Amino acid sequence: ALVGVVSGLSGQVIGSIFDGAPGSWELVMFPLSVGAGWLGGLEAQSAVAGQEALYQASRALAAARNPQAIVGAIGIHLAGPQAVQVALWHTVSKAEDGTPAEFELLASWAPAALKPLPPGLRFRTAQAPALANLRREATVSLQVDELPHFDPDVWEASGVHSATLLPLIAPGESWAGLIMVAARARRSFSKGTTGKYLALSAQAATALENLRLVEEGRQIGVLAERQRLAREIHDTLAQGFTSIVMHLEAAEQALPTSPETALSHLDWARGTARESLAEARRVVWALRPDILEGASLPQAIEHLVERWSEESGVTT
């Protein structure tokens, strides 16, 4: 509005210098200039607000640590009054040409008054012929009757009448999934609104791929830990248990004729059982062997050899 006032006044001052008193046309132009400036200010304010929303959504996507945070970043910051669902689907299987054959719902967002779609829903691309037009570089707008039908009331209960699908392409040029933005209206979103969603699709694809890699890393870590435990049990606990069994059997055989020898075997079995118990605790806590806490490796080996020599009576 201030821009319009300054423009109108400037025009009238210049006009009065050359033409004298302002005419009726110049008087009409003054409010028009003010109105044009006001409308331009509103447009600029709207553009700044849109850029701020994109910025906040981008920050939220960068900080996303789970699928729900990804859809929340888009739904909270970009979803307008017409949006009733933002759903994140990941690719479960692919066709021979690399295009998605089946999707699974990871997470969904809905306004406070509506219920989001339940995670775990699946659909095959063949169930929705309109999805044949889904390409890497373009969005697809579908009416409610063109959407996959999981249940007769699933879309009606969510208030969905149309949806825009955004492809998610991982950095390796492979399909990571898609984002579905559903609306109450039967017509698709405007180009400007769709452009905002599309502007963040690459970042959403990267966030989804990062989550997949983190999960794979976690599974690899679990497998590595299981292998470590198996090695520890085999190298320590299993040998200790074997020694206990051997001493108990020897004690059983010596008991009728030599109770002293039997007691000696029982003492060795008891000592080995205590050591094995301490070793089991160490394995659980993934610590070094207790014997290495206060001795070097050669000293620990020497101690082990001496103990075995005393136990077996064999010079080592």
Side-chain angles (χ1 to χ4, degrees):
L2 182 60
V3 170
V5 170
V6 173
S7 300
L9 290 177
S10 300
Q12 291 198 19
V13 168
I14 295 173
S16 63
I17 293 175
F18 292 98
D19 300 330
S24 58
W25 173 248
E26 292 174 333
L27 293 176
V28 172
M29 286 298 297
F30 181 78
L32 291 178
S33 298
V34 176
W38 179 70
L39 291 176
L42 289 181
E43 181 65 23
Q45 186 179 21
S46 176
V48 171
Q51 292 299 319
E52 177 66 17
L54 277 174
Y55 171 69
Q56 294 298 336
S58 178
R59 288 188 59 186
L61 277 175
R65 295 294 179 266
N66 53 64
Q68 190 61 46
I70 294 177
V71 294
I74 297 175
I76 294 172
H77 298 289
L78 293 184
Q82 288 296 326
V84 294
Q85 292 283 341
V86 178
L88 175 63
W89 305 79
H90 79 111
T91 305
V92 177
S93 62
K94 299 179 181 179
E96 294 181 358
D97 59 356
T99 58
E102 186 175 12
F103 293 99
E104 180 181 14
L105 180 63
L106 288 180
S108 63
W109 173 92
L114 297 175
K115 185 178 180 180
L117 296 173
L121 292 175
R122 287 195 177 197
F123 73 89
R124 298 189 63 83
T125 307
Q127 292 178 254
L131 290 180
N133 298 323
L134 190 62
R135 296 291 183 267
R136 294 170 178 262
E137 65 279 355
T139 62
V140 173
S141 297
L142 303 177
Q143 298 300 311
V144 66
D145 55 350
E146 298 175 305
L147 294 171
H149 293 281
F150 316 103
D151 184 88
D153 300 324
V154 67
W155 298 120
E156 287 77 2
S158 302
V160 175
H161 291 96
S162 65
T164 297
L165 306 182
L166 310 170
L168 298 181
I169 308 301
E173 295 300 318
S174 62
W175 276 89
L178 60 85
I179 288 180
M180 176 185 294
V181 184
R184 292 186 179 91
R186 297 188 179 277
R187 63 182 183 278
S188 59
F189 293 105
S190 65
K191 290 184 178 181
T193 302
T194 302
K196 292 179 182 179
Y197 294 129
L198 196 58
L200 292 180
S201 61
Q203 189 176 358
T206 301
L208 181 59
E209 182 68 7
N210 288 341
L211 293 180
R212 184 187 67 81
L213 294 176
V214 168
E215 178 62 20
E216 285 186 359
R218 190 187 69 83
Q219 294 293 340
I220 292 174
V222 170
L223 180 59
E225 183 66 8
R226 289 176 179 173
Q227 293 174 344
R228 182 192 70 81
L229 288 174
R231 290 194 301 268
E232 293 278 7
I233 291 173
H234 176 269
D235 295 343
T236 57
L237 300 182
Q239 296 179 18
F241 293 148
T242 301
S243 178
I244 292 171
V245 171
M246 292 176 62
H247 281 293
L248 291 177
E249 291 178 348
E252 183 181 15
Q253 294 176 1
L255 186 61
T257 58
S258 180
E260 295 80 5
T261 303
L263 287 176
S264 176
H265 284 296
L266 288 177
D267 288 339
W268 280 108
R270 185 184 299 109
T272 304
R274 288 172 177 168
E275 291 180 358
S276 297
L277 178 59
E279 189 68 19
R281 290 170 177 164
R282 182 194 68 79
V283 169
V284 171
W285 289 98
L287 300 175
R288 296 193 306 165
D290 291 337
I291 195 173
L292 290 179
E293 292 296 335
S296 64
L297 180 60
Q299 292 172 336
I301 294 176
E302 184 178 1
H303 174 77
L304 182 62
V305 170
E306 290 176 355
R307 186 183 181 283
W308 185 85
S309 182
E310 292 176 2
E311 178 181 344
S312 63
V314 176
T315 302
T316 308

